[in-house]
Amino acid sequence: MLANILSVIALVISIAVAITEYIKDIKINRMNLESEYFKDIYKKHLIYEIPTARGYIKFDSDNRLIDVDKMIDELQALRQDSLYFQYNNLRFYNDLKEKIQELEDYLISCAEKQFIGEEQTQLYNKIQNSINSIYSVISEGYLGKKKRKKKNRK
């Protein structure tokens, strides 16, 4: 009698372990597939295109911000290439789209405006911070990290 009970318990445990391992394998395979998508979609943008486009942004002799068009075009291409995630990972897509749009809007609003002295440094820092935010969203998405909701502080 006791042997039968132990056999049933062992069988139930074996089935539970097998199901757990199967679920883990599915999750790992899904993560591996998604990491391939991230590499295919973002590698060229992150390593070459964005840094190159950033290098064109400068001030002319009248202290006006010029040559933002290449960065704006690159941001649009990045958003376009990210459309896959609109269907697969909407939270990631929305976070990335928001960061891209913020930088794009900022560049458009600053284009051809005159910036003197410290204002130029502040502008470059804002652009760099925005690019860093875009890279962070992509890195966190690649690593599968969930974005924590920020509490409203008053």
Side-chain angles (χ1 to χ4, degrees):
M1 179 72 173
L2 183 60
N4 288 342
I5 293 173
L6 291 176
S7 296
V8 169
I9 291 172
L11 180 62
V12 169
I13 291 173
S14 296
I15 291 171
V17 167
I19 290 171
T20 303
E21 288 299 317
Y22 176 74
I23 291 170
K24 283 182 184 178
D25 286 345
I26 288 174
K27 286 182 181 181
I28 289 171
N29 289 338
R30 192 173 293 143
M31 284 175 35
N32 288 338
L33 181 61
E34 195 160 293
S35 73
E36 287 299 316
Y37 293 152
F38 270 90
K39 286 178 189 175
D40 290 345
I41 293 170
Y42 296 118
K43 183 177 182 178
K44 186 175 178 186
H45 290 288
L46 299 178
I47 294 173
Y48 177 73
E49 300 294 343
I50 292 174
T52 300
R54 168 61 186 87
Y56 284 100
I57 298 173
K58 61 184 176 277
F59 292 95
D60 66 9
S61 59
D62 294 326
N63 295 315
R64 295 188 188 284
L65 186 67
I66 59 170
D67 293 336
V68 298
D69 293 343
K70 289 185 184 348
M71 179 60 84
I72 291 170
D73 291 345
E74 175 54 27
L75 293 171
Q76 290 171 348
L78 181 63
R79 184 175 37 251
Q80 182 67 33
D81 288 350
S82 299
L83 282 175
Y84 162 78
F85 291 103
Q86 183 178 10
Y87 305 102
N88 188 357
N89 188 341
L90 187 59
R91 176 184 276 177
F92 166 76
Y93 174 77
N94 286 335
D95 290 344
L96 182 58
K97 185 175 84 169
E98 178 184 327
K99 296 297 182 189
I100 291 170
Q101 191 65 51
E102 285 173 9
L103 179 54
E104 197 174 332
D105 291 346
Y106 183 70
L107 290 171
I108 290 169
S109 71
C110 293
E112 300 297 325
K113 286 186 180 178
Q114 192 173 31
F115 294 87
I116 307 294
E118 186 64 29
E119 292 176 328
Q120 292 180 0
T121 302
Q122 291 172 353
L123 182 128
Y124 278 139
N125 288 339
K126 170 73 172 157
I127 292 170
Q128 188 60 44
N129 289 337
S130 294
I131 292 171
N132 289 345
S133 293
I134 291 169
Y135 277 59
S136 291
V137 168
I138 293 171
S139 293
E140 288 172 4
Y142 175 75
L143 296 173
K145 294 182 179 178
K146 303 275 188 207
K147 185 177 178 184
R148 294 182 185 149
K149 291 185 178 181
K150 294 179 182 177
K151 295 181 180 178
N152 291 337
R153 295 181 188 175
K154 294 184 180 180

